Amino acid sequence: MTYIKKAKSILEREKWIYATFSGIVVLYIFYSYISQEPTPFPEIYIKTVYIAATITLSLSSIIYFFYLVIKKERRPLEKFKLVLKIPFSNPLESLNLLIILSLISVIFSIYTTIKLAIPKNIFFYLDPYLINLDRTIHFGIDPWKITHYLFSSPLFSAVINLFYNLWFFVCWIFLVVFSCLYNMKELRNTTLISFLLCWIINGSISATLLSSVGPCFYDLLYEGSHQFSELMQILNQQNMYLKKEGYFLGVWSLNTQNMLWESYISQSSEFGSGISAMPSMHVSMATLMALATYSLKKWIGLVFWLYMIIIMIGSVHLGWHYALDGYVGALMTTGIWFSVAKLSKKRYNSTRSLD
């Protein structure tokens, strides 16, 4: 197959991913025009993605080499060299993967720009309603009190925090793996398009309309409030205990929350900055990963559904979110996934009938 034919084949396969991205960019340009928000500069995200890609490639290569050695492969170096040649034997596919990762970087930049503008567009208003509704659906009890009753040990909090912090790395590996599932076009397209839409529909549009800060920032925003002082006191005490006892693990979310609040006060624009609670993007992405991996392999999907539950618990336990943030994030993501899956199936069925 010539390079031109190969390029056309790749573009045909990726057209709906590129179309989704283009639609998001057009909508953002319109939003930027009417709201006079600055156009995002995705350099920092592109650098982060490329650094992450380099580290992932390096680590996976090392792990694969040791796997060959442990497996007692007769000629591990020869087989290892064959694997290393794959990106160079498919340069157009490698270029396409880099383009897709770059486009995702732009989406992250748009998401962060909109997230930073939330209090300017619609100032945080929903928290009091979410608090009351959270209590109502949990039989008059704050959800964080339930999680801290079930997982009262400081070590439990530290382990939950570890899983919560691993979310970014799990998401990244998931994204790279599904980007490379070229032999499963329908699942791959459904996953990548859903991924893009979740960050815009859930993380940008819904987050703006449902403007809220979450428990960890509530008392800081509403001066004189002590709504979540007990929760934050428990987390701080647990963190101090873990440090005193010499544990490597800690309640690391506290430092991140302080950093985000300082960034909000100083109105600085940094990597990962911005405050938003409803809906939870941690839960949204964990749900997407569970849905996608379950479609790939049921047993892998069950592992990711368990991880999603841990993220849901962690989002409440660590003070980031109200339980409703997670419920809404999961439901919206499920709706996006099945809508995209239905359209993808319809499109691939019509393509097969034409063939």
Side-chain angles (χ1 to χ4, degrees):
M1 188 183 289
T2 63
Y3 275 112
I4 294 174
K5 285 184 178 179
K6 180 66 175 174
K8 284 182 178 178
S9 175
I10 291 172
L11 285 173
E12 175 63 25
R13 186 190 70 208
E14 310 288 34
K15 65 181 180 182
W16 292 108
I17 295 173
Y18 288 134
T20 303
F21 170 77
S22 301
I24 290 170
V25 170
V26 168
L27 285 173
Y28 177 76
I29 291 170
F30 177 71
Y31 160 80
S32 185
Y33 175 75
I34 62 173
S35 65
Q36 297 183 334
E37 285 298 319
T39 303
F41 295 97
E43 291 93 339
I44 188 169
Y45 288 93
I46 291 175
K47 285 179 183 177
T48 303
V49 165
Y50 285 172
I51 289 168
T54 304
I55 293 170
T56 303
L57 182 62
S58 302
L59 283 175
S60 59
S61 299
I62 293 167
I63 291 168
Y64 181 68
F65 178 74
F66 279 107
Y67 166 76
L68 292 175
V69 173
I70 293 167
K71 193 183 174 184
K72 295 182 180 180
E73 188 74 30
R74 283 188 176 184
R75 295 181 179 177
L77 280 174
E78 291 299 318
K79 196 157 187 179
F80 185 66
K81 284 178 184 177
L82 288 173
V83 173
L84 290 181
K85 286 179 182 178
I86 291 173
F88 302 100
S89 61
N90 297 283
L92 289 176
E93 288 289 12
S94 300
L95 177 62
N96 178 63
L97 180 60
L98 288 175
I99 291 171
I100 286 177
L101 293 177
S102 299
L103 298 183
I104 288 169
S105 303
V106 174
I107 295 299
F108 284 157
S109 187
I110 289 173
Y111 159 74
T112 300
T113 304
I114 295 174
K115 186 180 178 182
L116 286 166
I118 288 174
K120 178 183 171 184
N121 293 326
I122 302 177
F123 194 74
F124 306 118
Y125 75 94
L126 197 61
D127 293 83
Y129 302 99
L130 291 174
I131 292 169
N132 290 330
L133 195 52
D134 241 11
R135 283 183 187 145
T136 301
I137 64 176
H138 292 93
F139 309 103
I141 305 170
D142 288 321
W144 69 263
K145 291 182 178 178
I146 298 172
T147 69
H148 277 271
Y149 175 78
L150 295 172
F151 309 105
S152 57
S153 166
L155 199 54
F156 268 131
S157 294
V159 172
I160 289 170
N161 204 150
L162 174 64
F163 278 105
Y164 203 81
N165 280 22
L166 285 173
W167 172 88
F168 174 81
F169 301 101
V170 175
C171 269
W172 169 251
I173 299 299
F174 163 82
L175 184 60
V176 171
V177 169
F178 273 80
S179 294
C180 297
L181 290 180
Y182 301 119
N183 60 332
M184 304 182 76
K185 294 179 184 179
E186 190 176 330
L187 176 60
R188 178 178 177 272
N189 273 23
T190 298
T191 301
L192 294 180
I193 291 170
S194 296
F195 184 89
L196 296 175
L197 291 177
C198 280
W199 285 101
I200 299 306
I201 295 173
N202 296 356
S204 302
I205 298 171
S206 298
T208 300
L209 296 175
L210 303 171
S211 179
S212 52
V213 293
C216 60
F217 301 119
Y218 186 89
D219 291 347
L220 295 170
L221 185 72
Y222 293 85
E223 292 183 13
S225 170
H226 301 286
Q227 189 75 240
F228 295 100
S229 58
E230 185 183 353
L231 168 61
M232 301 313 296
Q233 186 179 2
I234 289 170
L235 292 172
N236 276 286
Q237 286 173 349
Q238 289 181 338
N239 192 44
M240 287 174 65
Y241 170 83
L242 292 165
K243 283 183 178 179
K244 185 180 176 182
E245 295 298 316
Y247 284 97
F248 166 73
L249 298 174
V251 186
W252 299 324
S253 289
L254 294 169
N255 289 331
T256 309
Q257 289 162 0
N258 289 334
M259 181 194 72
L260 285 174
W261 183 252
E262 288 172 10
S263 176
Y264 167 72
I265 293 298
S266 61
Q267 296 186 336
S268 60
S269 178
E270 299 170 358
F271 179 82
S273 55
I275 292 174
S276 175
M278 167 69 86
S280 167
M281 286 309 297
H282 269 73
V283 174
S284 173
M285 285 296 105
T287 303
L288 178 64
M289 290 189 287
L291 289 164
T293 52
Y294 191 81
S295 298
L296 181 66
K297 290 280 184 182
K298 286 187 178 181
W299 72 267
I300 299 175
L302 291 174
V303 172
F304 272 87
W305 277 116
L306 176 61
Y307 184 64
M308 179 268 192
I309 292 169
I310 293 171
I311 293 298
M312 178 89 76
I313 292 169
S315 68
V316 173
H317 191 85
L318 300 169
W320 287 109
H321 290 282
Y322 308 105
L324 273 168
D325 299 340
Y327 301 157
V328 171
L331 286 171
M332 290 183 70
T333 302
T334 302
I336 289 169
W337 167 266
F338 281 107
S339 297
V340 174
K342 187 176 181 179
L343 289 171
S344 293
K345 190 171 184 178
K346 186 177 179 181
R347 184 170 67 85
Y348 279 104
N349 284 341
S350 62
T351 303
R352 290 192 194 102
S353 63
L354 287 172
D355 293 339

